[in-house]
Amino acid sequence: MDTPSKYNGTQNPEEWLKEFRFFCILRGIHDEHTMLELAMLKIDNTIPIPDEGISSFAELSDHLKDHITYTLQCKVAFEELKNIKYDTQMDVVEFIAKFLSLCDNSLVLNVQDQKLCLIQACPDDISRNVFKNKIKKKTSMHEVIEIFHDTMIEHKGQIRYGSRIALKHVVTGQYLSHGNKHKPDILRSNLSEVFCSGWKRGCNDVWVITAAYGQNKAPGDPISSNSMIQLVHEVTRESLFGDEGQLNLSGAWVWTLTDPRTNWIIQRHSTLYYDNPGYVMNGDMILLRHNLNKMTLKSHEFKNSAGNQEVIIHGDGQEDLHQWQIELMS
């Protein structure tokens, strides 16, 4: 820098003095008295220096902090601190750096006060309650920040109502898909077939998780294992459908309408059991169980009439062929 900026009351006094001293040392000025004299020359006339003078940088810092502009800086920083919110698209490290800077600038230095502000900064009530319970007994802000980081990473991976997902068949590695063209089956003229096609995810492999027929869920709410959902094909806006009486004959389909036959129970799968409790997360192995007759979505290497991998609804979910891996798109 060619010359240090003038202090006009809009900067943090400590930061400004640190930068000024850095400038002086960079220019070969090491004498404290000389640096102090130069610093006072760079202070705006609206912030007068007392007639008796100032004898140290600590005294100059206190003088700048006594001015009304610094009081207003703290008030503005405190308002921003109260309103700051973490967004799941933000970089956690950048957010924490800004948060701690606002704490410093607003003189919120007590750990308990900082904890309260960070709790309020959580993106929603779910993450707020989880984070609050985890830090209840913590007295170290370092630990609190680590827990915040881990909680937000977990929060970011949760599958929610409104999430765009893809479903990869675990055994064959192909994605649950549906084309744009309807090919009526012998049972219903308004149904078209779903299938697995391709090991690389495409636009026809994207599904949106919505509330089940007859239920009211807020977009953004996380989905727990054993929740009832609908899967809506993003391109065609048709819902994954299963006929209660004809599942074994008709395979799996999509339909333009929604009714109880478009409701599915989503269950997390583990190596020990297929009803693993907790929130459904990105990367989880899941089962999709039809709500009416409790049979599960299944695929295998057999081909349908169009040459795609067949998808049917059959069995109780005990076989590997019933497993799907959920991939979060947004």
Side-chain angles (χ1 to χ4, degrees):
M1 52 184 166
D2 295 329
T3 181
S5 62
K6 177 179 283 191
Y7 182 85
N8 59 11
T10 61
Q11 308 97 316
N12 180 296
E14 294 284 355
E15 290 298 320
W16 182 81
L17 288 172
K18 187 184 296 183
E19 287 182 10
F20 190 88
R21 290 171 67 92
F22 171 77
F23 171 82
C24 289
I25 293 171
L26 200 64
R27 291 302 180 92
I29 303 169
H30 298 279
D31 180 69
E32 286 285 315
H33 180 73
T34 302
M35 284 194 286
L36 185 61
E37 289 294 323
L38 290 172
M40 287 190 288
L41 290 173
K42 294 295 290 184
I43 296 173
D44 195 87
N45 291 335
T46 58
I47 306 172
I49 301 298
D51 293 337
E52 62 273 19
I54 290 176
S55 59
S56 68
F57 272 101
E59 190 178 340
L60 178 57
S61 176
D62 290 340
H63 175 70
L64 297 178
K65 290 178 179 179
D66 284 339
H67 195 262
I68 183 61
T69 52
Y70 180 66
T71 303
L72 295 179
Q73 283 184 51
C74 293
K75 287 180 178 290
V76 170
F78 183 63
E79 286 302 313
E80 189 174 353
L81 179 64
K82 288 195 301 183
N83 295 316
I84 191 173
K85 291 290 181 187
Y86 175 74
D87 185 282
T88 53
Q89 302 305 312
M90 292 179 178
D91 182 278
V92 180
V93 176
E94 290 181 5
F95 172 81
I96 288 298
K98 182 177 181 180
F99 173 82
L100 292 176
S101 176
L102 287 173
C103 287
D104 184 57
N105 292 338
S106 60
L107 302 181
V108 177
L109 306 177
N110 179 274
V111 171
Q112 291 303 317
D113 292 337
Q114 290 181 351
K115 283 169 62 175
L116 289 174
C117 291
L118 198 52
I119 288 169
Q120 286 304 117
C122 291
D124 56 34
D125 288 340
I126 300 292
S127 60
R128 186 173 297 113
N129 290 334
V130 170
F131 177 59
K132 182 179 179 180
N133 289 331
K134 286 182 178 180
I135 66 169
K136 192 174 294 183
K137 297 181 180 180
K138 301 299 181 182
T139 57
S140 163
M141 202 59 198
H142 180 87
E143 285 186 272
V144 169
I145 289 171
E146 283 190 326
I147 293 170
F148 180 84
H149 171 270
D150 294 344
T151 303
M152 292 307 109
I153 294 300
E154 179 183 15
H155 179 77
K156 192 179 293 188
Q158 286 178 347
I159 305 300
R160 300 168 180 276
Y161 291 99
S163 289
R164 298 169 61 247
I165 66 162
L167 290 171
K168 182 163 73 171
H169 190 242
V170 172
V171 172
T172 63
Q174 298 203 25
Y175 286 93
L176 184 68
S177 188
H178 168 56
N180 292 314
K181 295 181 180 179
H182 282 64
K183 295 182 178 180
D185 73 309
I186 60 173
L187 298 173
R188 302 180 189 279
S189 61
N190 54 358
L191 296 178
S192 58
E193 196 171 13
V194 296
F195 47 84
C196 284
S197 178
W199 293 277
K200 186 176 181 180
R201 195 170 60 204
C203 62
N204 282 326
D205 307 331
V206 182
W207 302 81
V208 180
I209 299 184
T210 64
Y213 177 81
Q215 292 189 351
N216 183 23
K217 298 290 185 179
D221 283 352
I223 297 172
S224 301
S225 185
N226 287 316
S227 294
M228 198 157 58
I229 63 166
Q230 286 192 74
L231 283 171
V232 179
H233 190 248
E234 185 175 58
V235 173
T236 63
R237 307 309 299 174
E238 296 174 315
S239 300
L240 187 64
F241 169 88
D243 191 320
E244 182 182 13
Q246 300 291 339
L247 291 175
N248 291 327
L249 296 177
S250 60
W253 309 85
V254 292
W255 197 15
T256 55
L257 302 178
T258 56
D259 68 15
R261 291 169 293 182
T262 60
N263 288 348
W264 300 81
I265 299 168
I266 186 169
Q267 294 179 316
R268 298 176 71 205
H269 190 281
S270 77
T271 56
L272 298 178
Y273 40 76
Y274 56 77
D275 186 11
N276 191 10
Y279 290 126
V280 180
M281 304 292 293
N282 182 36
D284 275 352
M285 304 298 180
I286 65 164
L287 303 176
L288 285 171
R289 192 177 301 280
H290 194 258
N291 180 54
L292 295 181
N293 76 346
K294 311 307 180 189
M295 290 193 289
T296 54
L297 197 69
K298 172 183 178 180
S299 187
H300 44 62
E301 293 181 346
F302 297 120
K303 305 295 183 179
N304 61 18
S305 58
N308 295 312
Q309 185 175 300
E310 189 177 46
V311 174
I312 62 174
I313 309 169
H314 178 269
D316 60 5
Q318 297 287 353
E319 300 177 33
D320 291 342
L321 291 171
H322 295 92
Q323 294 182 43
W324 303 82
Q325 185 173 34
I326 192 164
E327 294 183 2
L328 180 64
M329 310 282 288
S330 65

